[in-house]
Amino acid sequence: GNLDQGANADVIMVCNINEKTGGIRIVSIYRDTCMKVGEKNPYKKINEAYARGGIGQAVEALNENLDVEIDDYVAVNWKAVADAINLLGGIDMELTESEFRYINGYITSTVEGTGVGSVQLKKPGLNHLDGVQAVAYCRLRLMDNDLKRTERQRKVISLTLDKMKEAGWPAMNQILETVLPQI
C-alpha cells in the first residue's frame, strides 16, 4: 500500500503510447535485474530502486540503465488494481494446474494486504477472477520464472484494458474516482 519509498517495486513496466496511431507497447522489466541504482553501492536489483529513493530513483535508474527517457510515470498499489478489476466485473482467465496449486495462498495474502474481500478458487481451468484473484494471479512466481510471471501480468493488463474499452462512461467514471486517489 505504500506509494512512497520504503517498499520494493513488485512490478516494473515501461509503456510506450503512440499518440498518432493509439498503439500501446508494454515491456516488463524483470524485478531481479541487476542495474546501477544511485552512486553508493550502486548495483542492486532494479526493484530496490523504488525502496531506496521512491519513484524518482526508480525512473532515474531505468533512464540511465536502459538509455530511455521516461516522460511520465504512474505508481499504483495492488488495491488500486483489485478495485479497478472489481469495478469492471472481473476477468476470465485460464489457470494451469501449477498456477492453481499456488494461487489460493496469494489470494489470502492479497486480501490481507489490500483489505479487499475475495474467495478461494476451487479448480484449475477457466475461472472468472475478481480483482483480488487477478492480482494474486499477477503475483504468482513460485512454480516457474519471472518471464512467465511478467507474461501473466501483461495478460491481466490486456484483459482489463479490453473490458475498459467495453465499459460505459458511468463505469469509467467510477473507476477513476476509486483508483485515482490510490495512484
Side-chain angles (χ1 to χ4, degrees):
N2 183 5
L3 291 178
D4 299 321
Q5 67 188 50
N8 286 344
D10 199 46
V11 177
I12 303 169
M13 295 181 172
V14 176
C15 177
N16 181 7
I17 301 171
N18 185 322
E19 294 179 5
K20 292 179 183 173
T21 66
I24 299 174
R25 290 183 184 243
I26 298 175
V27 177
S28 298
I29 309 298
Y30 302 123
R31 54 188 261 142
D32 291 341
T33 303
C34 188
M35 292 186 182
K36 184 178 180 195
V37 178
E39 296 302 321
K40 183 180 176 192
N41 192 16
Y43 289 94
K44 299 285 186 185
K45 293 179 182 178
I46 189 59
N47 70 332
E48 290 183 39
Y50 195 90
R52 295 172 96 191
I55 193 67
Q57 180 73 59
V59 169
E60 182 181 312
L62 291 169
N63 283 341
E64 180 177 353
N65 289 277
L66 301 178
D67 194 26
V68 295
E69 194 172 317
I70 296 172
D71 299 325
D72 298 301
Y73 60 85
V74 177
V76 299
N77 59 31
W78 283 128
K79 184 179 182 312
V81 176
D83 287 345
I85 293 172
N86 279 340
L87 289 168
L88 289 167
I91 57 174
D92 293 325
M93 187 68 64
E94 188 79 29
L95 296 177
T96 67
E97 288 279 345
S98 61
E99 290 168 338
F100 177 72
R101 271 193 300 260
Y102 289 98
I103 196 166
N104 285 326
Y106 280 94
I107 290 170
T108 299
S109 68
T110 304
V111 166
E112 292 168 359
T114 63
V116 178
S118 186
V119 296
Q120 302 285 293
L121 297 175
K122 299 190 182 337
K123 62 178 178 28
L126 185 63
N127 281 271
H128 186 74
L129 304 183
D130 65 25
V132 167
Q133 295 163 342
V135 166
Y137 180 78
C138 288
R139 297 180 64 210
L140 290 173
R141 64 176 172 257
L142 298 174
M143 79 299 266
D144 48 35
N145 56 41
D146 211 23
L147 181 67
K148 288 290 196 181
R149 182 174 187 262
T150 59
E151 183 179 302
R152 283 187 285 274
Q153 294 163 356
R154 290 187 305 275
K155 188 184 303 183
V156 167
I157 288 172
S158 179
L159 290 171
T160 303
L161 288 173
D162 287 345
K163 294 259 333 227
M164 288 180 82
K165 290 176 191 174
E166 299 170 7
W169 283 112
M172 292 297 292
N173 189 51
Q174 188 176 14
I175 290 169
L176 291 172
E177 287 179 359
T178 303
V179 173
L180 282 179
Q182 300 178 65
I183 294 177

